[in-house]
Amino acid sequence: MSERRFAADEVLFTAGSAPRGFYVFLDGEVRLLRGARGPQPVVLVEGPGGTPGSASLFDTRRYPATATPFQASPRCRFPRAPIDELRTAIPPVPP
């Protein structure tokens, strides 16, 4: 886990990119935008405690949206590698 402060409008990740981890925002709001280029509609706003990018870690999908904070915001980033290691170490639950 790493902690860092993001500037307003700094890009956390872009739609279509491979997931590198997920984020937990400690303060402020993050907008998730449809698409990766140009003006895009906001599809979701996450506030403190939000975890943008987390859904993409549990399968092989790419990030479905672009994420940027509305204002400077502290966040914690959890990298993907340890999560993948846990997923492979724990046997799947049968249906």
Side-chain angles (χ1 to χ4, degrees), residues 7-89:
D9 297 322
E10 184 175 349
V11 175
L12 278 70
F13 54 82
T14 57
S17 63
R20 298 173 309 224
F22 75 95
Y23 303 85
V24 176
F25 270 75
L26 308 174
D27 191 17
E29 293 181 325
V30 177
R31 62 184 156 226
L32 297 172
L33 310 167
R34 184 171 308 182
R37 297 177 187 236
Q40 300 292 329
V42 174
V43 293
L44 180 68
V45 174
E46 295 215 27
T51 57
S54 60
S56 297
L57 292 177
F58 299 102
D59 60 25
T60 58
R61 290 183 292 165
R62 298 194 171 267
Y63 288 124
T66 296
T68 63
F70 280 108
Q71 67 272 346
S73 304
R75 63 88 180 130
C76 294
R77 178 179 173 264
F78 295 85
R80 182 178 182 129
I83 294 166
D84 285 345
E85 289 171 16
L86 280 174
R87 283 190 6 220
T88 56

